Amino acid sequence: MPRFMVDSNWYGWDGPENVTNRVKNRCLALSLANAVISFTCGVVSTGVTRHNWVGFAATAALIALMMEIIGAVRFRRAPHVTDKRTFDSIHQMMRWSAQCHMILMALAFAAGAVSCFQAFGGIPDLLILSGFAASFACSWFFLRAYSGLPTYSIKAPD
């Protein structure tokens, strides 16, 4: 049976508070912009959005996007210094959700490009593909902004 180990260290995001707050705001804004783009792409009915593989990848990407938004909100509300469990859950949510969303949006874009090649529906199909690319870019900038913020751990005072 595993033993319970107490980690009394404190963890956080390094840097001046104004830089940390700027990254927090940028991540939240990018995730919300990503949600608007994804919602808009999902509402428009074109040949691309009716394609089964596009629908599968875009729907799965929505789950990753919701985790990205939850992570951004938790990151925004997190104090400068926190315990290991909270820090790890926010840190993993911020990184993994953005990476999964990028992979799934790339898959949706590829499936949409194949759908356009099979039966081109005009300008709306190209707009949906550009929306997929914009959604991918939002997650990429989100991950880049968060990854640029160094983290630290300090020994808790006894």
Side-chain angles (χ1 to χ4, degrees):
M1 183 162 176
R3 296 174 60 133
F4 180 73
M5 297 187 67
V6 177
D7 186 358
S8 61
N9 292 342
W10 289 98
Y11 297 84
W13 297 272
D14 203 8
E17 191 166 340
N18 63 342
V19 172
T20 305
N21 284 335
R22 194 172 333 130
V23 170
K24 287 180 176 184
N25 291 335
R26 185 177 298 143
C27 287
L28 186 60
L30 283 168
S31 64
L32 293 177
N34 204 346
V36 169
I37 292 168
S38 294
F39 178 76
T40 304
C41 287
V43 170
V44 176
S45 179
T46 65
V48 169
T49 56
R50 288 189 298 264
H51 194 267
N52 288 339
W53 284 103
V54 174
F56 169 73
T59 303
L62 283 177
I63 296 168
L65 178 60
M66 290 302 115
M67 294 303 292
E68 187 176 309
I69 292 170
I70 291 168
V73 169
R74 288 186 65 201
F75 177 51
R76 180 69 193 109
R77 294 178 46 126
H80 192 65
V81 179
T82 186
D83 62 297
K84 181 173 178 49
R85 183 177 178 181
T86 304
F87 176 80
D88 282 345
S89 68
I90 292 171
H91 188 68
Q92 290 174 1
M93 195 177 289
M94 295 288 284
R95 296 185 59 81
W96 285 101
S97 62
Q99 291 171 354
C100 289
H101 187 261
M102 287 179 359
I103 290 168
L104 291 166
M105 286 313 296
L107 180 63
F109 182 87
V114 169
S115 175
C116 279
F117 183 72
Q118 291 173 345
F120 184 63
I123 299 296
D125 284 348
L126 296 177
L127 289 175
I128 293 298
L129 286 178
S130 65
F132 288 167
S135 183
F136 177 91
C138 281
S139 286
W140 186 77
F141 285 121
F142 176 93
L143 185 61
R144 186 170 176 205
Y146 181 73
S147 296
L149 193 60
T151 60
Y152 70 90
S153 71
I154 57 174
K155 186 117 176 108
D158 290 330

